[in-house]
Amino acid sequence: TDQVTLSYNLDKASSVQFELIDAVGRTMEVIDNQRQPVGAQRTEMNMSALPSGLYLIRMTVDGSSTVHKVVKQ
């Protein structure tokens, strides 16, 4: 997967940030989307320059984080 689309829904206007982290914990990319409105949102990450492997995407909304796994083949 070279392109990852992250779809999410915001219950209120929020500050949103994404971090792409490799398997050893290095931050490879940060997308800071600033403040986003209520409702359905989409953000895309281009992973074409990265080697195959396991990556984590940390999504932080108003200071609260969730982590999702992505495998690039």
Side-chain angles (χ1 to χ4, degrees), residues 7-26:
S7 299
Y8 50 98
N9 192 47
L10 299 175
D11 295 333
K12 62 178 184 166
S14 303
S15 295
V16 180
Q17 181 182 47
F18 294 94
E19 282 180 85
L20 180 64
I21 303 164
D22 70 8
V24 295
R26 292 179 296 208

Side-chain angles (χ1 to χ4, degrees), residues 22 31 43 55 66:
D22 70 8
I31 298 176
T43 297
Y55 293 88
T66 57

Side-chain angles (χ1 to χ4, degrees), residues 4 17-18 27-29 32-33 46 50 56 59 62-63 72:
V4 175
Q17 181 182 47
F18 294 94
T27 298
M28 305 305 288
E29 183 178 354
D32 190 355
N33 289 331
N46 185 341
L50 300 173
L56 301 176
M59 176 180 171
D62 287 338
K72 180 178 183 210

